[in-house]
Amino acid sequence: MLSMLALIMALSGSPVQTAATPPNVDVELVLAVDMSGSMDMEEARVQRSGYVQALRHPDFINAVKGGYLGRIAIGYFEWAGMVNEASVVTWQVIEGVADAEDFAAKIEARPIGTRRGTSISNAIIFGTSLIDTNAFSGARRVIDISGDGPNNTGPPVAPARNDAVGRGIIINGLAILIRPSVSTGPLDQYYAECVIGGPGSFVLPVHEAEDFAIAIRQKLILEVSGVTLPPTLSLAAVETAADCMIGEKLRPGFLDRVYPELDR
């Protein structure tokens, strides 16, 4: 038998939420944060602090409240060559200041440590699984992935990206260019061509450590509000396309693993 509230909602044309129905949210958002060994501990601390500050900022809270439902579901994890499962902060609904503060405090309390390798593909695969298996129903589903280098271990990144996008997930990127590598080419171009995907997907570059907090806040607000960035001018016609396997190719022994039949 319907409760009085459910009956009123049904008569008014409002959707009835039953115990078996996944809770509706404006967006299911996974924060996938790079903690690979190429980041020193100071950069890792600054990055962690940037996420914590962004989650506590009034502009982020207002973006959440400004949504159609006024609530989001959010999760967090850190990755390097593999996902650090001890870093996972499980799904939480954010509707206001107290929820955001609680989630930020959980991230802040995690120990900070970097690990070997950079597997954007494993991060995307793990984030996709978190979204596909959660208990929420979001109008949008987003993986927010930061990184300071190309994929160099685990599965190739492009197929992982394509699978996630095929499942209706949007992937946005934060390209950390504080210590850019000349050997791998422009990281923001790599992210644009090999990592991000889905309707309205975007990549934001970070060039200075002090810009972390602002860039992360801008990124979260865009993702929560669903605002699409205007198209930017591109020199793609005269630039060399990013090699989505450039990180793997620079690892010692890559050719021996891929082409073991070659005589060297």
Side-chain angles (χ1 to χ4, degrees):
M1 179 180 294
L2 288 176
S3 68
M4 182 60 67
L5 176 59
L7 179 60
I8 292 172
M9 293 176 69
L11 292 174
S12 67
S14 300
V16 177
Q17 191 92 20
T18 68
T21 304
N24 292 326
V25 292
D26 289 310
V27 60
E28 302 165 46
L29 176 61
V30 174
L31 307 179
V33 179
D34 181 8
M35 285 290 182
S36 58
S38 55
M39 299 186 69
D40 61 35
M41 287 302 295
E42 181 58 28
E43 287 177 343
R45 290 189 186 95
V46 169
Q47 180 180 220
R48 168 77 67 81
S49 175
Y51 278 96
V52 170
Q53 289 180 49
L55 290 163
R56 289 172 169 159
H57 199 279
D59 289 351
F60 170 71
I61 307 300
N62 290 336
V64 171
K65 291 182 176 179
Y68 178 72
L69 297 172
R71 60 179 177 268
I72 69 169
I74 191 168
Y76 174 98
F77 68 87
E78 295 169 354
W79 58 274
M82 296 292 291
V83 171
N84 178 11
E85 297 198 21
S87 73
V88 175
V89 180
T90 54
W91 290 102
Q92 179 168 328
V93 173
I94 293 182
E95 296 183 276
V97 174
D99 302 321
E101 171 58 37
D102 182 58
F103 190 74
K106 290 175 182 176
I107 295 174
E108 194 172 37
R110 292 289 197 273
I112 297 177
T114 60
R115 298 188 175 201
R116 295 181 61 184
T118 300
S119 184
I120 301 171
S121 56
N122 279 331
I124 292 174
I125 291 167
F126 190 82
T128 299
S129 177
L130 286 181
I131 289 176
D132 272 348
T133 60
N134 70 27
F136 301 98
S137 178
R140 287 175 292 111
R141 310 197 300 165
V142 180
I143 297 175
D144 170 327
I145 189 162
S146 70
D148 72 341
N151 195 76
N152 62 24
T153 189
V157 67
R161 182 267 314 273
N162 294 343
D163 178 68
V165 171
R167 295 170 182 265
I169 295 172
I170 298 166
I171 303 174
N172 297 321
L174 187 73
I176 302 169
L177 297 161
I178 296 174
R179 293 183 297 174
S181 170
V182 176
S183 61
T184 58
L187 185 64
D188 48 349
Q189 182 186 2
Y190 174 89
Y191 261 69
E193 297 185 25
C194 305
V195 178
I196 69 170
S201 59
F202 62 89
V203 56
L204 292 181
V206 176
H207 296 277
E208 304 292 340
E210 55 266 29
D211 295 335
F212 258 122
I214 295 174
I216 292 169
R217 184 170 75 245
Q218 289 175 337
K219 193 159 179 282
L220 292 184
I221 290 170
L222 288 169
E223 288 164 338
V224 168
S225 63
V227 173
T228 302
L229 287 174
T232 57
L233 294 176
S234 174
L235 301 178
V238 295
E239 291 178 346
T240 302
D243 182 352
C244 295
M245 295 291 290
I246 186 61
E248 289 88 344
K249 291 176 180 177
L250 291 175
R251 285 182 68 86
F254 170 79
L255 291 178
D256 292 328
R257 294 193 299 274
V258 177
Y259 303 110
E261 71 280 5
L262 291 181
D263 183 15
R264 300 186 180 281

